Amino acid sequence: MNFFLRWLIFAALFLPISIIAQTTGVDSVASARRDFLEGKSEAALATLDGAEKRGLTSGKLTELRGYIFLEQGKFGDAIKAFEAAKAQDRLTYNRLHIGDVLARQGQWEDARAAYQAGLKETDILATNERLRFGVFIANLGLKNEEHARQALDLITFPTESATYYYAQAAWAFAHGSKRDGNDWMKRARDLFAGRSTDWFERHLYDFGWLKSKPPPISE
């Protein structure tokens, strides 16, 4: 009898059903995330569908579905998924995600409004920093030099995330300073190695400043 089968028997006999379901749900999200990052979006969605059919719904599961839809360009479905995730788990932050969906479509006014609304709702530092970066990027997209500069000035050094470095890089790229932009990005990658920089780089890629497409955002 292999270890996994023994564990299932033990779980069925001794563990509360809620704990088993929670563990299986976490495993499903992790498995789907791996498939998604490997470019197997349909397989990832199938895993999430299977989990939901077994009643293993969660904010993280639905949020991952939103990320997949975003990467597939199914923007309406992505927004619905992010809104549903927020209803299931308040720790999933849909204002940031919805701003990202709108930014991906170049809907800069609406994206800026979503990011700005988010700033009034969270005191989580890392999320707050991303939202400020989003406001700044949206102003760059609107080609609003004055507001972009004001938004950049609000991203002060140091930041917990790579926000400060990527904001400086974006400003440099937007003003034709490719060398400075690359220098700021290199610093960010060196300082925040092993921590998520893909979210920032996807915004720069969408502006055409990066040649290589970053990995999909999955958290």
Side-chain angles (χ1 to χ4, degrees), residues 90-163:
R90 63 184 180 83
L91 294 179
T92 64
Y93 204 69
N94 70 327
R95 291 286 192 189
L96 177 66
H97 303 328
I98 289 173
D100 291 345
V101 175
L102 295 166
R104 189 73 62 89
Q105 299 173 82
Q107 296 180 17
W108 298 116
E109 288 278 8
D110 292 337
R112 181 174 64 180
Y115 292 133
Q116 287 174 328
L119 283 169
K120 299 175 183 178
E121 297 176 356
T122 182
D123 57 0
I124 299 173
L125 182 56
T127 302
N128 188 281
E129 289 175 355
R130 287 194 183 195
L131 287 163
R132 280 186 282 152
F133 182 87
V135 172
F136 164 62
I137 281 290
N139 281 316
L140 285 181
L142 288 166
K143 301 188 186 304
N144 190 322
E145 185 83 2
E146 180 182 358
H147 287 169
R149 181 73 244 187
Q150 290 172 355
L152 179 63
D153 289 342
L154 292 174
I155 301 173
T156 55
F157 182 84
T159 49
E160 180 178 277
S161 64
T163 299

Side-chain angles (χ1 to χ4, degrees), residues 38-213:
E38 291 172 3
K40 304 172 185 174
S41 293
E42 294 305 324
L45 287 173
T47 298
L48 297 180
D49 288 342
E52 287 186 345
K53 286 178 182 177
R54 298 193 303 275
L56 304 173
T57 57
S58 71
K60 286 297 182 184
L61 187 152
T62 308
E63 184 180 54
L64 179 56
R65 187 181 294 278
Y67 289 130
I68 296 170
F69 286 145
L70 174 59
E71 194 64 24
Q72 291 179 326
K74 298 177 180 178
F75 301 121
D77 290 337
I79 287 178
K80 289 178 184 177
F82 288 136
E83 288 176 341
K86 176 67 172 178
Q88 293 168 335
D89 182 352
R90 63 184 180 83
L91 294 179
T92 64
Y93 204 69
N94 70 327
R95 291 286 192 189
L96 177 66
H97 303 328
I98 289 173
D100 291 345
V101 175
L102 295 166
R104 189 73 62 89
Q105 299 173 82
Q107 296 180 17
W108 298 116
E109 288 278 8
D110 292 337
R112 181 174 64 180
Y115 292 133
Q116 287 174 328
L119 283 169
K120 299 175 183 178
E121 297 176 356
T122 182
D123 57 0
I124 299 173
L125 182 56
T127 302
N128 188 281
E129 289 175 355
R130 287 194 183 195
L131 287 163
R132 280 186 282 152
F133 182 87
V135 172
F136 164 62
I137 281 290
N139 281 316
L140 285 181
L142 288 166
K143 301 188 186 304
N144 190 322
E145 185 83 2
E146 180 182 358
H147 287 169
R149 181 73 244 187
Q150 290 172 355
L152 179 63
D153 289 342
L154 292 174
I155 301 173
T156 55
F157 182 84
T159 49
E160 180 178 277
S161 64
T163 299
Y164 179 82
Y165 298 89
Y166 280 103
Q168 296 297 325
W171 182 261
F173 284 130
H175 291 84
S177 301
K178 184 176 179 180
R179 182 175 179 178
D180 288 345
N182 286 328
D183 285 346
W184 280 110
M185 272 207 318
K186 184 178 185 304
R187 291 188 215 178
R189 290 168 176 171
D190 289 344
L191 289 169
F192 293 89
R195 298 164 66 179
S196 178
T197 56
D198 298 332
W199 181 85
F200 298 98
E201 295 199 7
R202 180 56 195 248
H203 284 287
L204 273 58
Y205 172 81
D206 288 340
F207 272 89
W209 297 327
L210 301 185
K211 292 181 179 179
S212 299
K213 185 178 179 179

